[in-house]
Amino acid sequence: MRAFFATFRGLSTSVTGVERVSSWPFRAVCAVVLVYVLMRPVGHPEILYPALALLAVASAAAVVIGRRWASQEVVAVAILVVIAGLIAAFVGAGNPGMTQHVLVWVGAPLLFAAWALGADERMLRTVLSAIAWATVTLSVLILLFVGAQFGLPQVVPQWLIEEGGGGFNIEQGATAIRLYGLSTLAAAAPMWVVAAFVPPHPLLPPRWLRIVAAGTAVGATLVGGRNAIVLVLVLVPLAVLGWTALARRRGPRRIHPLLPYAGLLCILAIPWIASNPALQRTWNNLVGFFADDGSQPDRVIQADRLITAWLESPWIGHGLGAVIDGYSRSEARPWNFELQYHLMLFQFGIVGLLILGLAAALAVVALVRATRARPDMWPVFAVTIAGGLAMSIANASNPYLQAPGHMWAIWLPLMAANVALASRRPTDLTVSKTGRLALAR
């Protein structure tokens, strides 16, 4: 492992510039573009792709103008992902869907690596604040849209719903909507639920905004009707908060005076939780999938066909954009499937997955080293890891990461890790009485 890191040691250097240059125009551009990507991560590629390109250019400009350091681990993760993508692109040369998947596995990693490496503490705070405000806006939009279907005044203009790909129906007694931005909640909702419980930190939005983002995101998730999002909303915050509590345990602790009341509130909420239609449907579908009782036949068939096709070329796979003869989910895009990790095995083969596995291992190493280098940033790590973990889990049954607009959640923890590894000292940022971020003197 040390030898591997040594290979990239030369890349772990700073870019010449004036220390602590604010680069506020680039932060503003990144924030505006990021809000658009969160609101419409799919659809309208004629706007989305130029917006993502602008995000990369602004991030690269921030690297050149401001003082930025690149951690060797984060750089190595980006290089390995791109290498795996290029190998799979070479294997899949001529495949009908190669162009789209090259954007996902080569273009998007380069773009978001620049985004992650271009951030300093100010940029990270701006990014987290932009995500919080986008989450609130998107969640309120969803709640108002669903409320209008049940007789409340239609506050949201119809043209805005149509531009966002909106649609509404009821499945198994629970609401289910279509909206381009709904998939953003797969990462954003667990993020802000965790953020509502962690202590204040100069790089996080104020607590009131975190609580509002968490509350509106939970409500939007429950009426949105996506089983995978509901599932990660329940599991990921419990896992991350439990992990942070165990990792930070130091000797005997006093019991917070509000803890008994919080426990009582949770007990009283159990009947409502158990009777919630969205949670009941998620549970039934989850049990049905593992029981293979026919309630999820399409995904069971997909898994079987993808594994069978992978066995025809197990080592190098079939390349990016490959299709399965005689089987597809969509006539327009026969190279897309719901089971993303089965699809990766089919496309990359064992060799490609080993490279991606090494990249994932280095990402974990980066986060571990970052938490040791900057223990003061643990609330930031908890929040960003929750988003990345939730998107990774939800991606198992929904092809979220086949769209570049969802990859911000995967690279956000690496942005936090790079900031921590670049500074390796307690934050010199403070929050003034007016709530503005400033350098400590």
Side-chain angles (χ1 to χ4, degrees):
M1 187 67 71
R2 291 182 180 176
F4 182 83
F5 283 151
T7 304
F8 300 99
R9 193 173 303 278
L11 296 171
S12 192
T13 57
S14 65
V15 179
T16 302
V18 180
E19 185 173 4
R20 296 189 179 101
V21 173
S22 63
S23 306
W24 67 264
F26 306 105
R27 298 203 310 273
V29 170
C30 288
V32 171
V33 173
L34 183 60
V35 168
Y36 175 84
V37 172
L38 293 172
M39 297 296 292
R40 294 208 302 187
V42 295
H44 300 281
E46 69 280 1
I47 300 176
L48 178 62
Y49 291 151
L52 290 173
L54 179 60
L55 182 66
V57 171
S59 300
V63 171
V64 174
I65 293 179
R67 184 177 187 273
R68 300 294 186 269
W69 287 76
S71 71
Q72 56 192 11
E73 296 91 341
V74 177
V75 171
V77 169
I79 290 175
L80 287 172
V81 173
V82 171
I83 288 174
L86 290 175
I87 292 174
F90 177 78
V91 173
N95 285 341
M98 189 186 69
T99 301
Q100 178 190 347
H101 284 270
V102 165
L103 290 174
V104 173
W105 286 106
V106 179
L110 289 173
L111 185 157
F112 282 104
W115 179 64
L117 295 170
D120 60 359
E121 290 179 324
R122 288 186 177 89
M123 178 72 84
L124 179 57
R125 177 177 168 86
T126 300
V127 165
L128 291 172
S129 296
I131 296 173
W133 282 111
T135 301
V136 172
T137 304
L138 175 63
S139 301
V140 170
L141 176 66
I142 292 172
L143 292 171
L144 292 175
F145 169 57
V146 174
Q149 312 304 313
F150 290 95
L152 295 180
Q154 185 169 341
V155 179
V156 182
Q158 185 61 32
W159 66 266
L160 183 60
I161 297 297
E162 293 176 355
E163 284 293 315
F168 175 85
N169 63 319
I170 295 179
E171 297 177 359
Q172 301 179 25
T175 56
I177 71 170
R178 298 186 307 277
L179 197 69
Y180 290 148
L182 180 59
S183 51
T184 292
L185 295 180
M191 267 185 65
W192 298 117
V193 170
V194 170
F197 289 94
V198 300
H201 191 276
L203 300 182
L204 290 176
R207 184 178 291 276
W208 69 265
L209 178 56
R210 289 182 272 154
I211 293 175
V212 171
T216 54
V218 168
T221 298
L222 292 178
V223 302
R226 298 285 179 89
N227 295 329
I229 302 179
V230 174
L231 183 63
V232 295
L233 176 62
V234 174
L235 296 181
V236 170
L238 291 175
V240 172
L241 291 173
W243 166 73
T244 54
L246 291 174
R248 296 188 57 79
R249 179 176 295 176
R250 296 290 187 275
R253 290 177 176 268
R254 292 188 307 166
I255 297 177
H256 195 282
L258 295 179
L259 184 60
Y261 299 99
L264 178 61
L265 181 63
C266 291
I267 294 174
L268 294 176
I270 288 176
W272 176 83
I273 294 173
S275 61
N276 184 272
L279 294 175
Q280 285 184 341
R281 182 183 60 189
T282 299
W283 174 255
N284 292 335
N285 289 341
L286 181 65
V287 172
F289 179 81
F290 286 104
D292 193 13
D293 60 359
S295 60
Q296 294 282 352
D298 185 51
R299 285 189 172 93
V300 173
I301 294 173
Q302 280 185 58
D304 179 69
R305 298 300 292 266
L306 286 168
I307 291 176
T308 300
W310 161 67
L311 290 174
E312 298 174 1
S313 180
W315 289 103
I316 61 173
H318 295 266
L320 298 180
V323 299
I324 299 176
D325 292 338
Y327 178 77
S328 67
R329 289 187 59 250
S330 168
E331 293 184 1
R333 295 185 175 183
W335 51 84
N336 280 352
F337 298 89
E338 288 180 305
L339 302 181
Q340 178 79 347
Y341 298 121
H342 291 74
L343 177 62
M344 289 168 59
L345 182 65
F346 167 64
Q347 291 181 333
F348 288 89
I350 295 175
V351 174
L353 285 189
L354 287 175
I355 297 174
L356 293 174
L358 179 58
L362 290 179
V364 173
V365 170
L367 289 168
V368 171
R369 293 189 61 189
T371 56
R372 292 174 178 173
R374 291 287 301 274
D376 64 295
M377 283 181 60
W378 78 263
V380 179
F381 294 132
V383 172
T384 56
I385 288 173
L389 181 62
M391 183 63 78
S392 300
I393 294 174
N395 185 59
S397 61
N398 293 269
Y400 292 139
L401 296 184
Q402 287 189 33
H406 293 130
M407 287 194 175
W408 64 269
I410 304 300
W411 289 91
L412 183 61
L414 293 174
M415 174 186 286
N418 188 71
V419 169
L421 292 171
S423 59
R424 298 181 185 275
R425 64 186 183 275
T427 178
D428 55 1
L429 296 177
T430 60
V431 179
S432 66
K433 293 182 180 179
T434 60
R436 298 185 64 184
L437 196 67
L439 284 169
R441 300 293 183 187

